[in-house]
Amino acid sequence: MAEKIGILVGWEQSFPQAFLERCNKVPGVRAEIAKLGGTPERFESPYRVLIDRISQEVKHYRFYLKAAALGGAFVINDPFWWSADDKFFGYSLASQIGIATPRTVMLPQRDYIPAIVKERSLRNLEYPLNWEAIVDYVRFPAILKPADGGGWKDVSVVRSQEELLAAYNASGQNVMTLQEFIDFDDYVRCICVGKDRVLPIQYDPRAIGPTGLRGCYVQHDSERWLPKALHDRVIEDAIKINKALGYDMNSIEFAIRDGVPYAIDFTNPAPDMHIEHLRERYFNIAVDWMVAFAVECSRGDRRTRDGYAWSRLVRPSVGKVRLGASS
């Protein structure tokens, strides 16, 4: 019987289409766009592997993927961890495992939901904030951005305390981070598959790409366009980050200043892999790597649940049901 691989997709077309076409050429494997409906509380996942490209936008998908992991599937990426992580934790973790990161401070949110009674609910909060100490640590220029955001949404470059306070006061209910601005000499975005497959690509985050979005990949004849020592460090640091976070699909950005790669953005469990952004050569590498990794996982004994304490209490394939079957 063929091992089933399902992919959950959003607006993108090129990556899922290419993935399915290539995956279905592999003997003993059947890949398809996963179909999710009503889900009983005890079920065995019909998919051996599920690749998640969209659950950050569809809450039902995230809940389903957790149940599928409980039901024996290997989910790329782990929906339990994806639900828990944030960019500030990522910076904190990276800095403690030897990765160069910009100086970063997390700030309390500026505004709160109406149910918050500030005199009672915020008694643990330092007020007023010690802006002098914060600015002295991070220094200007700096980047103010959401602690759990992405896609350059609600991001400001601030060059003075006046600009900082104006941007912070406009940040609403976002938890923000203030981060050292790295005036980089070069910039790298790495496409990562399976923790240790890392494709470093020169990237210009300030340029407008071919589809009108911010950021543009720079094409080279060879993947090794950086000096060897720097190339090797980027690869090693990317693998270390992936292993620490547990991501099997990620993009990691490094801003290079004075020969040091600073990890800027590296919690991207559904990275952009659109052909119009990556261009054909890099796109084909990313697709081929994902096919190889998904097939490898479908034929092995990997299960997302195995990393959790509760998995030791679960008896596999006992009492599992499908809709329409008796429990």
Side-chain angles (χ1 to χ4, degrees), residues 15 191 193 199 273 278 282-290:
F15 179 81
I191 300 298
V193 174
L199 175 63
M273 292 184 178
L278 282 176
Y282 297 140
F283 173 80
N284 285 330
I285 292 172
V287 173
D288 288 344
W289 280 1
M290 185 57 70

Side-chain angles (χ1 to χ4, degrees), residues 55-72:
S55 75
Q56 73 276 15
E57 296 178 7
V58 184
K59 186 184 293 187
H60 168 239
Y61 293 171
R62 182 66 58 83
F63 291 176
Y64 175 90
L65 289 168
K66 291 177 181 178
L70 178 60

Side-chain angles (χ1 to χ4, degrees), residues 23 47 51 106 113 115 153 161 170 173 218 239 263 271:
C23 207
Y47 296 100
I51 300 172
M106 179 172 61
I113 61 173
K153 186 177 180 181
Q161 186 153 328
Q173 295 180 18
V218 180
I239 292 173

Side-chain angles (χ1 to χ4, degrees), residues 300-311:
D301 195 32
R302 301 188 190 193
R303 290 177 175 81
T304 296
R305 71 187 191 196
D306 291 345
Y308 293 91
W310 46 260
S311 70

Side-chain angles (χ1 to χ4, degrees), residues 124-200:
N124 297 101
L125 188 64
E126 176 187 291
Y127 185 83
L129 288 176
N130 188 343
W131 288 107
E132 183 177 351
I134 292 168
V135 168
D136 185 60
Y137 175 68
V138 176
R139 299 196 287 272
F140 293 120
I143 303 286
L144 184 70
K145 58 185 180 180
D148 59 353
W152 287 89
K153 186 177 180 181
D154 299 322
V155 175
S156 302
V157 179
V158 292
R159 296 176 174 82
S160 67
Q161 186 153 328
E162 291 74 20
E163 290 184 2
L164 166 60
L165 292 177
Y168 175 71
N169 288 336
S171 63
Q173 295 180 18
N174 285 328
V175 177
M176 305 296 284
T177 57
L178 186 67
Q179 185 174 83
E180 173 191 9
F181 177 80
I182 302 295
D183 188 12
F184 55 86
D185 309 311
D186 209 340
Y187 202 95
V188 186
R189 174 178 276 185
C190 300
I191 300 298
C192 307
V193 174
K195 297 187 180 68
D196 55 2
R197 294 173 174 93
V198 179
L199 175 63

